[in-house]
Amino acid sequence: MVTGDNLNTAIAIARECGILMETGEAIEGPKFRQLSKDQMMALLPRLQVMARSSPTDKHTLVSVLCEMGEVVAVTGDGTNDAPALKEVDIGLAMGIAGTEQ
């Protein structure tokens, strides 16, 4: 789960939805940005939540996952998500309403 929400909110939502497991990792975008590519590749098998992420973080994440041979799906709700949507196996762009009803 990649979100712009703060880490505590993201962790609470991910746990409630069954996304974040006991052995899973959660990280903030600014910390993720500081990792080397090798460190990212070591983290990704356990990474289940990225909070306070930027569109660049999302693109970097999906690029590395694709390079690792993973099948990657992304949802996006704005033009800033286009680079990540373009790179993945399955990209779902939300309409005008996005996540708001």
Side-chain angles (χ1 to χ4, degrees):
M1 180 176 101
V2 180
T3 180
D5 288 335
N6 75 58
L7 187 60
N8 291 331
T9 300
I11 287 171
I13 292 168
R15 283 193 176 137
E16 186 173 325
C17 295
I19 294 169
L20 182 59
M21 303 298 166
E22 287 295 320
T23 58
E25 299 265 348
I27 192 170
E28 290 184 321
K31 185 173 180 182
F32 180 76
R33 276 177 234 137
Q34 295 177 349
L35 300 176
S36 70
K37 190 172 183 181
D38 287 340
Q39 289 172 317
M40 287 179 190
M41 291 178 123
L43 172 67
L44 290 182
R46 299 180 317 280
L47 184 63
Q48 295 174 342
V49 176
M50 187 186 321
R52 291 187 54 227
S53 68
S54 70
T56 302
D57 296 332
K58 186 185 257 189
H59 182 254
T60 300
L61 174 66
V62 300
S63 295
V64 175
L65 285 168
C66 288
E67 188 176 318
M68 292 171 67
E70 298 292 335
V71 175
V72 182
V74 168
T75 61
D77 61 0
T79 56
N80 57 350
D81 292 316
L85 287 164
K86 184 178 176 186
E87 187 127 356
V88 297
D89 300 291
I90 302 166
L92 301 170
M94 295 183 220
I96 293 170
T99 56
E100 299 173 9
Q101 292 295 336

